């Protein structure tokens, strides 16, 4: 197969495996995010792909060629790390052209390439400037330009935006996505920020404790989480314990609601997003009765906590901001469950 193939990679530092049997196919030209909480093994996996770390077992293939034992400098990958690791004693141009110089490119070729790459990252004309004179966002772009100088087959980024403030970070995420689409370069980004993954990736790989939990496009992962961990990690959700009554009807805290997806026999848990619950004054054929416990403004919407008798946790409902007047604390409400949006979890 063309692209990157990761086969049954395993890595142990001590008794607990950092990575357990990781297998993954990445088509050429795709933008993939390795996502998960701190310590789940994302960086270890990226470092193994880069060749900076050896796996305990398993194989890595690029366009059909086994590169498991190829040293990092012969893999033709571009890398950007959290620290950026720019050379402070070199100019912007000197940093970007560094690897080209080592490969013996003439001064003229280096000058042209620096110009092209600075245009690409929207920083034209700053080749002579010192790295120390740049802002955090500009350094970021220079690090990206430097990583792209050798036209790498694979572009690897390990939390490169975590030091930037929130606004700049969002702007850089959009920039990175634009650049990746423009160049069509296969890109792997490590992040613990689910919004960053949702904004940039074609495919999200969500990991926990060294194991892949789900591989899916962002929206699919949001809409059809594979298990409880995924449902909770990606966006806000309600996890509801239920008992199957047959025919799509399920019992929840003394009431019955309908869910479209066939529920398993007996007890199970399903996930429903806050925007898929509606507050109504009247009961429906699929609703729970409760009282408004707490509200929180989020700008375009209001997050409403509804306490329901017999349920351990409040239900969280997203309500359009214009409905604010109907949201007084203590008010009885019916929470209508949109049956098509409930996802049965393993
Ligand atoms: P993440 O990038 O998801 O935060 P890492 O890949 O850095 O996670 O780490 C995965 C696990 O492996 C963690 O439990 C971490 O403590 C452990 N680990 C990573 N690198 C080393 C190392 N060089 N020596 C020992 N343990 C390590």
């Amino acid at each position: 197969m063309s692209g990157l193939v990761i086969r049954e990679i395993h890595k142990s530092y001590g008794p607990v495996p950092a990575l357990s049997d990781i297998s993954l196919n990445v088509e050429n030209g795709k933008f993939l995010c390795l996502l998960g909480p701190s310590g789940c093994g994302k960086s270890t996996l990226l470092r193994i792909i880069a060749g900076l770390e050896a796996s305990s077992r398993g194989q890595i293939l690029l366009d059909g060629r086994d590169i498991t034992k190829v040293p990092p400098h012969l893999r033709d990958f571009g890398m950007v790390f959290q620290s950026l690791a720019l050379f402070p004693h070199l100019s912007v141009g000197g940093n970007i052209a560094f690897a080209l110089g080592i490969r013996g490119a003439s001064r003229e070729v280096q000058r042209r390439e620096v110009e092209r790459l600075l245009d690409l990252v929207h920083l034209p004309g700053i080749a002579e400037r010192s790295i120390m004179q740049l802002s955090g966002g500009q350094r970021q772009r220079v690090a990206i330009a430097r990583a792209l100088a050798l036209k790498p087959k694979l572009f690897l980024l390990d939390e490169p935006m975590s030091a930037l403030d929130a606004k700049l970070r969002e702007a850089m995420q959009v920039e990175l996505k634009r650049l990746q689409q423009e160049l069509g370069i296969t890109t792997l980004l490590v992040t613990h920020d689910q919004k960053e993954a949702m904004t940039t990736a074609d495919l999200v790989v969500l990991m926990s404790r060294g194991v892949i939990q789900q591989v899916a496009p962002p929206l699919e992962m949001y809409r059809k989480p594979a298990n409880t961990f995924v449902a909770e990690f990606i966006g806000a959700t309600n996890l509801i314990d239920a008992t199957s009554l047959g025919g799509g009807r399920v019992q929840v805290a003394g009431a019955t609601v309908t869910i479209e997806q066939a529920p398993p026999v007996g007890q199970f848990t399903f996930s429903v997003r806050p925007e898929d619950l509606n507050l109504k004054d009247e009961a429906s054929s699929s609703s729970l009765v409760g009282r408004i416990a707490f509200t929180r403004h989020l700008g375009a919407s209001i997050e409403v906590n509804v306490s329901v008798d017999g349920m351990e946790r409040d239900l969280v409902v997203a309500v359009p901001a214009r409905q604010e007047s109907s949201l007084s604390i203590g008010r009885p409400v019916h929470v209508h469950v949109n049956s098509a949006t409930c996802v049965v979890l393993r």
Side-chain angles (χ1 to χ4, degrees):
M1 183 198 133
S2 66
L4 178 70
V5 176
I6 296 165
R7 271 194 203 143
E8 294 170 11
I9 288 285
H10 191 93
K11 177 74 181 177
S12 289
Y13 291 108
V16 184
L19 294 173
S20 299
D21 287 331
I22 301 284
S23 293
L24 203 58
N25 292 346
V26 188
E27 274 174 54
N28 281 333
K30 292 285 179 203
F31 195 132
L32 187 118
C33 269
L34 299 175
L35 175 68
S38 180
C40 74
K42 325 177 276 295
S43 294
T44 302
L45 180 57
L46 196 80
R47 291 172 63 78
I48 289 172
I49 293 168
L52 298 170
E53 193 109 40
S55 59
S56 309
R57 53 169 193 269
Q59 230 184 353
I60 299 180
L61 296 103
L62 188 66
D63 291 337
R65 187 168 82 99
D66 187 344
I67 59 161
T68 317
K69 299 218 159 69
V70 174
H73 64 283
L74 297 179
R75 290 195 184 192
D76 277 340
F77 296 170
M79 277 175 261
V80 181
F81 296 102
Q82 190 173 342
S83 63
L84 301 185
L86 293 166
F87 307 121
H89 60 288
L90 293 181
S91 65
V92 167
N95 266 277
I96 296 174
F98 187 77
L100 292 167
I102 288 180
R103 298 252 172 134
S106 69
R107 286 201 172 273
E108 181 51 24
V109 168
Q110 290 185 37
R111 195 194 56 75
R112 265 190 277 125
E113 272 305 285
V114 168
E115 208 168 283
R116 180 183 73 83
L117 288 158
L118 283 175
D119 278 347
L120 197 65
V121 295
H122 293 175
L123 287 177
I126 67 155
E128 302 306 323
R129 240 187 257 175
S130 152
I131 290 295
M132 310 312 272
Q133 289 173 296
L134 305 184
S135 70
Q138 288 172 326
R139 286 182 196 194
Q140 189 79 53
R141 286 158 198 249
V142 172
I144 289 172
R146 185 179 65 172
L148 294 174
L150 291 176
K151 302 197 172 71
K153 285 202 190 112
L154 214 56
F155 189 26
L156 306 176
L157 304 111
D158 192 351
E159 306 255 12
M161 291 171 272
S162 54
L164 302 179
D165 67 57
K167 266 257 182 293
L168 193 54
R169 195 181 164 117
E170 268 178 38
M172 277 310 298
Q173 288 162 2
V174 174
E175 275 288 285
L176 188 62
K177 180 73 184 168
R178 174 196 64 81
L179 194 65
Q180 191 269 341
Q181 283 177 339
E182 205 172 305
L183 299 175
I185 184 171
T186 313
T187 300
L188 271 69
L189 170 71
V190 162
T191 181
H192 63 272
D193 176 351
Q194 53 115 356
K195 271 199 195 144
E196 186 161 296
M198 302 299 263
T199 316
T200 53
D202 297 314
L203 211 57
V204 178
V205 177
L206 182 53
M207 297 172 62
S208 159
R209 297 178 185 201
V211 176
I212 294 179
Q213 300 292 324
Q214 189 171 4
V215 181
L219 206 57
E220 186 181 321
M221 196 170 275
Y222 184 78
R223 285 279 157 225
K224 295 199 170 74
N227 56 39
T228 312
F229 175 82
V230 181
E232 285 199 300
F233 196 86
I234 304 286
T237 200
N238 295 284
L239 296 180
I240 299 177
D241 294 326
T243 309
S244 187
L245 300 172
R249 299 291 286 169
V250 303
Q251 184 159 29
V252 177
T256 49
V257 298
T258 308
I259 64 174
E260 237 176 62
Q261 194 189 350
V265 177
Q267 293 193 329
F268 66 100
T269 302
F270 68 90
S271 161
V272 61
R273 300 287 180 189
E275 67 271 24
D276 295 322
L277 295 173
N278 300 103
L279 296 187
K280 305 214 161 155
D281 289 328
E282 313 273 315
S284 72
S285 62
S286 190
S287 64
L288 299 158
V289 63
R291 276 179 195 279
I292 295 179
F294 181 73
T295 61
R296 186 164 75 111
H297 281 266
L298 299 176
S301 65
I302 300 173
E303 190 183 88
V304 181
N305 283 33
V306 178
S307 69
V308 175
D309 276 348
M311 285 185 83
E312 231 171 76
R313 285 198 275 181
D314 286 353
L315 287 176
V316 180
V317 186
V319 176
R322 66 190 126 78
Q323 286 180 21
E324 185 179 11
S325 59
S326 61
L327 299 177
S328 51
I329 305 295
R331 184 169 185 223
V333 281
H334 295 274
V335 182
H336 175 76
V337 181
N338 181 345
S339 60
T341 59
C342 299
V343 179
V344 174
L345 297 173
R346 284 187 272 119

